[in-house]
Amino acid sequence: MNWTNSLPLAVLMTSFLAAMIIFMLPESRHRLRSSINIAAACLKLVLIILLLQVVLRQNYPEVSLEVLPGLSLILRADALAMLFAGLSSVLWLFTTLYAIGYLENSPNRSRFFGYFSLCVASTMGISLAGNLFTFLIFYELLTLSTYPLVVHRGTEASLRAGRTYLIYTLGGGVVLLAGVVALYALGGDIPFGNTEQTAALVGTWPGWMALIFALLIAGLGVKAAIFPFHGWLPTAMVAPAPVSALLHAVAVVKAGAFGIVRVVYDIYGIELAWQQGLLWPLTLIASFTILYGSWRALQQVDIKKRLAFSTVSQVSYIILGISLFGPLGTIGGLVHLLHQGLMKVTLFFCAGNYAETLGIHKIHELDGVGKRMPLTSAAFTLGALGMIGLPPVAGFISKWYLGTGALEAGMDWVILVLIGSSLLNAAYFLPVLQRIWFNPQQGDWPDEMITRWRDTTPLLLIPALVTATLSLLAGLFASSVLSPLSWAELITLREYLP
């Protein structure tokens, strides 16, 4: 086996091995556990960079293991896989640092970081899956590895949220399984990218293939928080802030959105899906979810729940982009997968900083916090302005391409959806920023933590500042060859090549 072909497996195993070691560590080995976490995250990032260089040369390393006759477990690194794997590896490093600082004096850290590493392994498996069978295995493993993180605190509220999370995600997994089994029964094991095989099946079984498409999208739509399958996401906000960041920016909702991208582009093919009329219902559902999530966010008084409903809206921008028939819409959807991750992880880091440092959980408690925590508040401001879509933050780039993609596809009405959503984004973020920067402090903070630092502890502050800066740089240098936009354009160019 060529050494480059083993890279996908190496990326996966770094997290699995780290998880096994961490589970066996005594609770008292804090420094060793933290060192293993950081080392694994750094090693994974190095391996991803090596894989990126290989994929840029249009070489696609692959590892395959036949499980049953005609059914294989396939790990394959292509351009689309590296989009999600690259995002996850970068954000995981900063989320790891943040989690170490956030859980500094908490119990059960070996359990938390063990499942934390399993979660990243599952995400990498989803990223590098070469067929639906492999995707399904890691998709369900992601559900099982994130459940202990959601219920980590062991309170009645967290256990209730965990039950809701399992009901939704396992239910979605059953629907996805039905779609995968039905597709296998008709056409066997279809590797990602083999759209000719699917086209032949559509010619023979058009009705069944339309039903299978609906099953696959519905099953994936649960984790992607598409209406009406979004109910688990706001409920899960009782989890610690690093877990919220995982759910919203790094792993779970992105796994659902990424799976929908795979189904549309690498199972059915964008042209076939358009010709069969499979995309316009997806456009309608995504558009409604965008407006619905923004409207519900406006009604929330809890910071994390407002951010949760914002995620419901923002993730559907990705789905909207890929459902628009044309390269510009595809670019907008794919680049927003990266941009939303950077901006939303920043917002959840900042929300966690406010909660841990000052005991702030409600929006009305933010009055005057900009003077007490100026750096955290500056990071939050960048994330919020990016979500609204104001230049030069990365969110503007996403919305620009989505808008031009809608015009390219002849769907002018989508512009109204984007404008309406941006106005709602402004309506639920700008009053928060006003409270942070311009309202005077109202009494003492709910539960202030005394620190040696002006803002908060370094391990909580630095990740938020770095991801906020990356959100700004992704917008300022969007034309750079190293930008998320350039990688989205590369994927789209290869997708739309004749």
Side-chain angles (χ1 to χ4, degrees):
M1 178 189 296
N2 189 306
W3 73 271
T4 58
N5 287 334
S6 64
L7 282 175
L9 183 60
V11 167
L12 197 65
M13 292 309 296
T14 53
S15 299
F16 269 123
L17 292 176
M20 296 304 104
I21 295 171
I22 290 168
F23 277 130
M24 293 186 291
L25 286 179
E27 189 63 27
S28 59
R29 302 300 300 273
H30 303 316
R31 290 187 178 180
L32 179 58
R33 181 173 52 247
S34 297
S35 299
I36 293 171
N37 271 298
I38 295 171
C42 290
L43 177 58
K44 185 179 299 298
L45 187 56
V46 170
L47 293 173
I48 289 294
I49 292 171
L50 291 175
L51 264 179
L52 280 170
Q53 294 174 345
V54 174
V55 172
L56 274 172
R57 297 193 295 267
Q58 297 197 40
N59 295 323
Y60 304 123
E62 181 177 309
V63 177
S64 180
L65 174 66
E66 189 174 41
V67 179
L68 294 170
L71 186 65
S72 296
L73 195 69
I74 302 172
L75 297 175
R76 184 172 185 265
D78 58 18
L80 185 56
M82 299 316 299
L83 181 83
F84 189 27
L87 170 74
S88 300
S89 61
V90 171
L91 294 188
W92 221 286
L93 174 59
F94 296 112
T95 307
T96 298
L97 292 172
Y98 186 85
I100 291 170
Y102 190 93
L103 297 166
E104 185 175 1
N105 298 312
S106 299
N108 302 315
R109 279 178 283 181
S110 287
R111 184 186 69 192
F112 179 92
F113 283 106
Y115 283 110
F116 193 83
S117 294
L118 278 182
C119 188
V120 66
S122 305
T123 305
M124 288 299 155
I126 289 169
S127 304
L128 299 169
N131 59 1
L132 272 177
F133 171 70
T134 308
F135 184 96
L136 178 66
I137 296 298
F138 287 105
Y139 192 78
E140 292 308 301
L141 183 58
L142 179 63
T143 297
L144 298 177
S145 59
T146 47
Y147 169 76
L149 301 178
V150 172
V151 302
H152 175 72
R153 287 181 171 145
T155 63
E156 183 179 346
S158 64
L159 292 173
R160 184 166 58 250
R163 287 193 295 269
T164 301
Y165 177 69
L166 280 184
I167 290 169
Y168 272 89
T169 53
L170 290 180
V174 169
V175 175
L176 178 63
L177 174 63
V180 173
V181 170
L183 184 61
Y184 182 83
L186 290 181
D189 189 11
I190 303 177
F192 288 148
N194 192 3
T195 55
E196 296 84 1
Q197 188 174 346
T198 308
L201 294 174
V202 169
T204 308
W205 309 93
W208 278 107
M209 291 301 289
L211 176 60
I212 290 171
F213 183 86
L215 289 173
L216 295 175
I217 297 299
L220 294 164
V222 174
K223 278 196 173 78
I226 294 177
F227 180 88
F229 309 126
H230 66 284
W232 64 271
L233 193 55
T235 304
M237 289 306 93
V238 299
V243 179
S244 298
L246 293 181
L247 296 177
H248 289 258
V250 188
V252 179
V253 295
K254 292 296 169 52
F258 179 75
I260 292 174
V261 175
R262 281 293 196 193
V263 169
V264 171
Y265 287 105
D266 288 330
I267 294 295
Y268 281 75
I270 184 68
E271 187 171 351
L272 179 65
W274 176 260
Q275 291 171 352
Q276 295 298 311
L278 301 175
L279 293 184
W280 68 264
L282 201 55
T283 306
L284 292 177
I285 294 169
S287 297
F288 179 81
T289 305
I290 287 170
L291 295 175
Y292 171 82
S294 297
W295 175 252
R296 289 298 306 276
L298 186 60
Q299 300 169 358
Q300 306 305 311
V301 297
D302 182 271
I303 299 171
K304 288 176 68 176
K305 284 196 174 182
R306 181 165 291 196
L307 295 179
F309 278 105
S310 172
T311 298
V312 172
S313 173
Q314 291 285 331
V315 171
S316 281
Y317 280 119
I318 303 167
I319 299 165
L320 175 66
I322 65 168
S323 68
L324 299 174
F325 184 59
L328 291 179
T330 299
I331 292 171
L334 292 178
V335 79
H336 196 62
L337 190 146
L338 298 173
H339 289 168
Q340 190 270 350
L342 289 170
M343 295 182 295
K344 188 50 64 78
V345 81
T346 300
L347 292 171
F348 272 105
F349 284 165
C350 294
N353 290 357
Y354 291 140
E356 284 298 291
T357 308
L358 302 178
I360 292 174
H361 299 278
K362 304 295 182 183
I363 290 169
H364 71 269
E365 297 170 341
L366 288 167
D367 288 343
V369 76
K371 294 180 180 179
R372 170 62 176 81
M373 300 179 65
L375 295 178
T376 291
S377 298
F380 188 94
T381 300
L382 278 176
L385 294 179
M387 287 295 178
I388 296 170
L390 294 177
V393 192
F396 169 76
I397 304 297
S398 303
K399 292 189 178 183
W400 177 266
Y401 273 88
L402 289 171
T404 54
L407 295 176
E408 179 186 54
M411 296 182 176
D412 298 6
W413 59 271
V414 171
I415 300 295
L416 298 177
V417 174
L418 296 174
I419 292 173
S421 176
S422 293
L423 291 174
L424 288 169
N425 295 161
Y428 66 73
F429 272 125
L430 292 183
V432 176
L433 299 184
Q434 178 184 344
R435 287 183 176 275
I436 288 173
W437 294 111
F438 301 108
N439 284 13
Q441 180 182 345
Q442 303 295 325
D444 295 332
W445 304 115
D447 185 18
E448 185 171 5
M449 176 179 67
I450 304 301
T451 66
R452 294 182 301 164
W453 308 90
R454 167 64 177 162
D455 199 291
T456 188
T457 60
L459 281 178
L460 295 182
L461 180 59
I462 292 172
L465 293 179
V466 172
T467 54
T469 302
L470 291 175
S471 301
L472 181 60
L473 294 177
L476 285 172
F477 299 99
S479 61
S480 166
V481 295
L482 299 176
S483 71
L485 178 62
S486 295
W487 194 258
E489 288 174 337
L490 172 67
I491 295 170
T492 305
L493 177 66
R494 293 184 181 180
E495 181 64 38
Y496 279 93
L497 280 174

